[in-house]
Amino acid sequence: MKLGIIGTGWIAKQFVQAALKTEKYELTAVYSRNLETAQKFSSDFTESTVEHFNELTEFFHSDAFDVVYIASPNSLHYAQAMAALKAEKNVIVEKPIATNPKEMENLIAELRLHPKNYLFEAARHYHQPNFKAITTEIQGMEVIQGATLTYEKYSSRYDAYLAGEKPNVFTTDFAGGALEDLGVYLVYDALAWFGVPDSVIYEATKLNSGVDGSGIAILKYPQFNVTLQIGKTANSYLPGEIYGLKETLVMDNAADLNIVYVADENGNKDVISRLVDANPLYEEAQAFAEVLENPDDLESRDNADRWLAMAVEVNKVLYKLRHYAKITFPNDVIMDKD
Ligand SMILES: NC(=O)c1ccc[n+]([C@@H]2O[C@H](COP(=O)([O-])OP(=O)(O)OC[C@H]3O[C@@H](n4cnc5c(N)ncnc54)[C@H](OP(=O)(O)O)[C@@H]3O)[C@@H](O)[C@H]2O)c1
């Protein structure tokens, strides 16, 4: 498959490395605001022909690629994914695929106009074996009494923010903040493992820029609560825990999922899963390739529909959490339009 890239940051590099490792994609097109950046990006990967673009319309209307991976700042995902769908491309969008339910609804409506095309949210851990091992383990638990899930990492951009700069991820203009960045993983965890919550609250610690530097979310279920601790201004080393009756399902980190074990009532550990590939994007690249290589198979359509249905629910919960904390983005004006 011919792969095009939007956004030339480190995550796009990691995705291309993962995609090439599957041996199912070739890098054929790169868009950057700056042609030299695009050329530099592709030179790290291949000697073969890659087309470079610094004009988005030209990029989308070229035949240089048939699947695009979008790794631009969050607020740009919607418009870029929409343009890609209109150009009949298959689309992989970094999380979050969209920043509010109306954007999500519009993207899905556009996708339905292109029944041969696929739209994926790149939520890396959702496709990893460790995630699936936890899902299976939970299905076998007789009682669930709640969970505490943490993803809190000092951002490589926070020093710049503290120095008075405006890194995209710490601005509302680019739909940044802890929830829309790291929180996405934890909302995926909760929804995939426990379903859609009855109600949610989000106590955010806001920065002067208006985004949440960190926060605590509570997702309320009929029989228990799930607490999410999210942050980009400090480091947490707390493991994630899911509480059964006497047993506890533990993961070293609720988004990285390097190692997962069950602890019995005496604290004895039984490891049930470990990270398989060192590149955390490998499994998603592989999963999307399997669908795209067999686009007419019922199984492909079922899988892609299921993943997208999950992305829709995650998008709704993220929006409710953000709404609770009164964090608004310029893109939200679309919510008031028909
Ligand atoms: N899956 C993961 O593990 C993971 C990890 C990190 C990030 N992400 C996701 O990846 C996406 C990108 O994150 P990031 O931290 O790499 O973002 P970023 O550094 O702010 O921007 C990514 C790229 O977008 C382009 N860009 C930057 N500012 C722009 C602007 N004002 N207008 C248009 N294009 C702009 C740049 O590419 P050019 O200069 O070439 O145009 C830049 O390299 C986010 O959605 C994030 O959630 C995912």
Side-chain angles (χ1 to χ4, degrees):
M1 283 169 295
K2 294 191 292 179
L3 176 65
I5 298 291
I6 297 182
T8 53
W10 67 269
I11 194 65
K13 237 173 217 177
Q14 197 172 53
F15 184 82
V16 173
Q17 283 161 352
L20 297 181
K21 192 172 173 191
T22 67
E23 300 184 347
K24 293 180 176 170
Y25 305 80
E26 55 173 330
L27 179 64
T28 54
V30 180
Y31 163 83
S32 168
R33 292 166 298 169
N34 180 322
L35 268 187
E36 277 178 15
T37 309
Q39 282 154 357
K40 166 80 184 67
F41 182 91
S42 65
S43 69
D44 287 347
F45 294 107
T46 174
E47 299 290 307
S48 59
T49 316
V50 176
E51 290 191 43
H52 303 104
F53 300 83
N54 62 357
E55 212 285 307
L56 261 182
T57 309
E58 200 189 319
F59 173 76
F60 286 128
H61 290 103
S62 84
D63 292 329
F65 65 98
D66 36 47
V67 52
V68 62
Y69 167 74
I70 298 174
S72 54
N74 295 346
S75 62
L76 306 182
H77 292 179
Y78 169 65
Q80 292 174 343
M82 184 62 91
L85 285 173
K86 285 183 192 289
E88 307 277 347
K89 305 292 185 188
N90 292 308
V91 191
I92 302 169
V93 192
E94 256 308 333
K95 53 81 198 163
I97 190 169
T99 54
N100 60 56
K102 186 71 185 168
E103 288 185 346
M104 195 77 198
E105 192 186 312
N106 290 353
L107 283 177
I108 288 177
E110 187 62 36
L111 177 69
R112 299 295 171 234
L113 300 177
H114 309 276
K116 288 191 177 309
N117 290 119
Y118 281 94
L119 173 65
F120 305 108
E121 179 166 54
R124 56 171 169 73
H125 70 330
Y126 183 60
H127 297 279
Q128 289 174 353
N130 286 355
F131 193 100
K132 293 171 189 166
I134 295 171
T135 308
T136 306
E137 191 68 27
I138 289 172
Q139 283 161 357
M141 285 167 77
E142 276 177 41
V143 178
I144 295 177
Q145 303 193 79
T148 307
L149 305 169
T150 301
Y151 199 24
E152 184 155 9
K153 244 178 164 178
Y154 190 91
S155 166
S156 59
R157 275 83 181 245
Y158 195 47
D159 287 342
Y161 175 83
L162 290 175
E165 293 172 35
K166 293 182 177 168
N168 296 338
V169 77
F170 284 108
T171 68
T172 53
D173 280 353
F174 287 99
L179 179 66
E180 294 287 344
D181 187 11
L182 305 186
V184 180
Y185 296 103
L186 303 188
V187 173
Y188 258 93
D189 289 349
L191 269 59
W193 297 336
F194 312 115
V196 176
D198 288 349
S199 63
V200 301
I201 62 177
Y202 185 44
E203 296 297 342
T205 304
K206 287 193 204 168
L207 304 179
N208 287 339
S209 69
V211 303
D212 49 332
S214 62
I216 307 279
I218 299 176
L219 278 52
K220 295 178 182 251
Y221 291 84
Q223 310 293 339
F224 54 81
N225 292 328
V226 173
T227 307
L228 313 181
Q229 178 173 325
I230 309 153
K232 288 184 70 64
T233 61
N235 288 308
S236 167
Y237 303 95
L238 288 174
E241 293 185 325
I242 297 167
Y243 309 108
L245 201 53
K246 291 184 178 172
E247 82 277 31
T248 304
L249 184 52
V250 186
M251 58 218 83
D252 65 324
N253 175 289
D256 294 339
L257 305 179
N258 297 303
I259 182 161
V260 183
Y261 61 87
V262 178
D264 70 14
E265 58 190 303
N266 298 313
N268 299 316
K269 297 176 184 174
D270 178 16
V271 174
I272 60 165
S273 189
R274 289 177 194 277
L275 198 66
V276 175
D277 199 279
N279 185 327
L281 309 190
Y282 175 75
E283 277 96 3
E284 66 174 13
Q286 181 74 31
F288 303 150
E290 276 164 23
V291 168
L292 295 175
E293 280 194 325
N294 306 289
D296 300 324
D297 284 10
L298 211 56
E299 194 185 344
S300 295
R301 190 48 74 187
D302 281 355
N303 282 338
D305 284 350
R306 191 164 41 82
W307 300 337
L308 202 53
M310 176 58 68
V312 167
E313 295 305 327
V314 168
N315 172 279
K316 284 184 199 159
V317 169
L318 286 169
Y319 185 72
K320 281 184 189 162
L321 290 165
R322 198 157 61 73
H323 191 71
Y324 185 94
K326 297 187 171 55
I327 299 165
T328 53
F329 297 150
N331 283 23
D332 292 338
V333 292
I334 198 175
M335 290 297 288
D336 300 326
K337 294 185 184 159
D338 283 336

